[in-house]
Amino acid sequence: ERQEVRPYNRQRLLVVANRLPVSAVRRGEDSWSLEISAGGLVSALLGVKEFEARWIGWAGVNVPDEVGQKALTKALAEKRCIPVFLDEEIVHQYYNGYCNNILWPLFHYLGLPQEDRLATTRSFQSQFTAYKKANQMFADVVNEHYEEGDVVWCHDYHLMFLPKCLKEYNSKMKVGWFLHTPFPSSEIHRTLPSRSELLRSVLAADLVGFHTYDYARHFVSACTRILGLEGTPEGVEDQGRLTRVAAFPIGIDSERFIRALEVPDVIQHMKELKERFAGRKVMLGVDRLDMIKGIPQKILAFEKFLEENASWRDKVVLLQIAVPTRTDVSEYQKLTSQVHEIVGRINGRFGTLTQVPIHHLDRSLDFYALCALYAVTDVALVTSLRDGMNLVSYEFVACQEAKKGVLILSEFAGAAQSLGAGAILVNPWNITEVAASIGQALNMSAEEREKRHWHNFHHVKTHTAQEWAETFVSELNDTVIEAQLRISK
Ligand code: ADQ
């Protein structure tokens, strides 16, 4: 495989992310079945024609035996994927612990874990050690597959230690790092015990990217205030070496959604949904069941709207589709019960024998079902307390050419900066304000809906995932060339 002949102009792109874009199920001692999970990142990179992308990451399964590892590696190679094998203990400490229990809440302004501070501080050290060890394991695999001229693109908060490990292997490697979550204010970041070490390792990259200009600015401030380095309009400078820092807002593969609406199954499903909810306006929430998505706040705002607008009670329905994630973490279990409790109470309060105001599903929907739902929705409610970007808002807009529905969007989602012109922006903590925007959205004139939709649809169609990936990678190439020129001067 390593000796294949490549077209001269196709540069290899090694995409390194915690999870490979596949789900792997073991069928026998040496046989695996694989399914590609078509997330935003996958379709973004499939669409990039100039590069030949390879994926490096964890397959999401524990494979302790060599026979299984070999078979999985072989099966994955056909999908251009290269596995990093992590054992259960590492996954527990690195992934569940440091990534999901410490970095994820901190970067979304939920602070560090506060129960039993001492125990947390103690486990914090071992989790950080596991985090670094896991990042080193990713680096070993990248290094093994790296060829001169390749571009290495590291993704997300799971791999903040990776740029440093890679540059230690080879200082000439072109390394970019992109964060999919917000980067918080430096005042938040500085509470993290390993704040400096993480910043320094990210700075080893040539190019560091964020969804918004604000996140990039927070990162530069953290480097200047915590590390005492110099921030410049280009990025961060450390003893003459520049790390370029910039904003690269992600998008979606909008054509994929638009085309889906012409598929007969989707059209049929839309028809069924319209019949099912005839005479009622459909409001929709689609989220991973995560604290940051503000699901309880959203449902409470809907309750307030029903409370204050009796005439709407039998004319509107909220469909909340919340796919459970990180189900082994107790805070996520608590969130699930909290949401169920609120939904039950509101349905008991405002439901009748034949209908309820809220349909809440704890599951994920397949792509076509999701598109049909987006297309029949009158008002989408995205009320994240913080969100790096939020692609649900983009997907909704892409599916609304016929209906021109209204998007209610949290001002704390990165998407507020790109879809703010067409959406109704809200502070999700202010339930009274969100309830009022529900009223505004339901009563909005067709002309205003059309005008707002046009703004957003235009944005979603032109700022695609493919364009995002191309821009990042070409900027990374340019950054490295500029740095070489600077050194040779
Ligand atoms: P997420 O937090 O996962 O992503 P988001 O950007 O909204 O958030 O993407 C979620 C994806 O999962 C969407 O493609 C959506 O269709 C799908 N999805 C969610 N719930 C679903 C359900 N119930 N059924 C089916 N599909 C569902 C992280 C960051 C975001 C950032 C992205 C990309 O937290 O802020 O926008 O990465 O960088």
Side-chain angles (χ1 to χ4, degrees), residues 104 108 178 180 211 250 286-288 292-293 321-323 363-365 370 374 387-392 395:
W104 175 265
H108 291 89
F178 184 84
H180 290 263
H211 283 310
I250 201 171
V286 175
D287 307 89
R288 279 187 309 100
I292 68 146
K293 302 292 179 181
I321 321 292
V323 57
R363 74 169 99 108
S364 89
L365 292 180
L370 195 60
Y374 282 140
D387 215 333
M389 178 57 89
N390 188 281
L391 296 180
V392 166
E395 295 168 0

Side-chain angles (χ1 to χ4, degrees), residues 16-268:
V16 198
N18 173 59
R19 270 302 299 271
L20 286 173
V22 291
S23 46
V25 179
R26 194 164 189 168
R27 297 288 177 210
E29 204 194 354
D30 62 354
S31 81
W32 289 85
S33 75
L34 299 179
E35 211 174 298
I36 288 275
S37 36
L41 200 55
V42 184
S43 39
L45 294 161
L46 286 178
V48 182
K49 300 283 182 286
E50 294 99 284
F51 302 101
E52 199 192 291
R54 296 285 146 105
W55 294 82
I56 297 177
W58 175 50
V61 279
N62 182 28
V63 195
D65 59 309
E66 211 174 302
V67 179
Q69 291 192 0
K70 268 199 176 142
L72 181 56
T73 306
K74 197 159 159 246
L76 285 169
E78 283 168 28
K79 312 262 184 221
R80 298 183 178 274
C81 289
I82 302 160
V84 177
F85 292 105
L86 303 173
D87 65 39
E88 267 173 355
E89 181 55 19
I90 279 267
V91 169
H92 181 64
Q93 298 262 355
Y94 143 79
Y95 181 65
N96 297 335
Y98 200 76
C99 291
N100 290 342
N101 198 30
I102 294 179
L103 291 181
W104 175 265
L106 187 74
F107 282 8
H108 291 89
Y109 291 77
L110 298 174
L112 291 169
Q114 286 177 26
E115 292 140 53
D116 194 357
R117 275 163 199 267
L118 277 177
T120 307
T121 314
R122 246 182 295 136
S123 60
F124 176 90
Q125 265 315 324
S126 60
Q127 290 178 359
F128 187 52
T129 306
Y131 180 84
K132 291 196 282 187
K133 188 170 163 202
N135 275 242
Q136 185 61 53
M137 289 161 83
F138 279 81
D140 295 347
V141 177
V142 174
N143 186 51
E144 193 187 313
H145 290 265
Y146 173 81
E147 292 175 14
E148 207 183 316
D150 288 355
V151 168
V152 185
W153 190 2
C154 314
H155 287 266
D156 233 0
Y157 60 98
H158 312 91
L159 300 176
M160 294 178 81
F161 207 66
L162 184 58
K164 177 174 171 282
C165 302
L166 292 174
K167 289 286 189 176
E168 276 168 5
Y169 267 127
N170 181 346
S171 63
K172 293 215 174 68
M173 209 184 268
K174 282 182 200 168
V175 179
W177 179 78
F178 184 84
L179 183 65
H180 290 263
T181 68
F183 192 88
S185 149
S186 66
E187 287 302 311
I188 295 278
H189 181 77
R190 74 188 305 163
T191 59
L192 185 66
S194 50
R195 60 199 188 182
S196 306
E197 214 174 335
L198 279 186
L199 290 175
R200 285 212 179 272
S201 33
V202 167
L203 285 173
D206 300 292
L207 175 64
V208 173
F210 300 91
H211 283 310
T212 73
Y213 173 75
D214 285 342
Y215 306 157
R217 194 167 44 81
H218 289 320
F219 176 79
V220 173
S221 303
C223 294
T224 56
R225 293 185 187 165
I226 298 167
L227 301 178
L229 300 177
E230 196 171 332
T232 73
E234 266 82 52
V236 178
E237 216 171 288
D238 182 12
Q239 298 175 351
R241 181 182 176 272
L242 174 78
T243 304
R244 179 126 169 68
V245 179
F248 300 88
I250 201 171
I252 59 166
D253 181 356
S254 46
E255 290 303 326
R256 181 165 170 253
F257 286 84
I258 295 167
R259 278 198 310 270
L261 302 182
E262 287 164 13
V263 171
D265 276 359
V266 176
I267 296 173
Q268 175 59 26

Side-chain angles (χ1 to χ4, degrees), residues 382-383 408-412 424-428 430 433-434 437:
V382 175
T383 56
I408 297 178
L409 177 61
S410 163
E411 60 189 70
F412 302 115
I424 301 180
L425 291 185
V426 291
N427 171 1
N430 185 343
E433 184 197 349
V434 178
S437 351

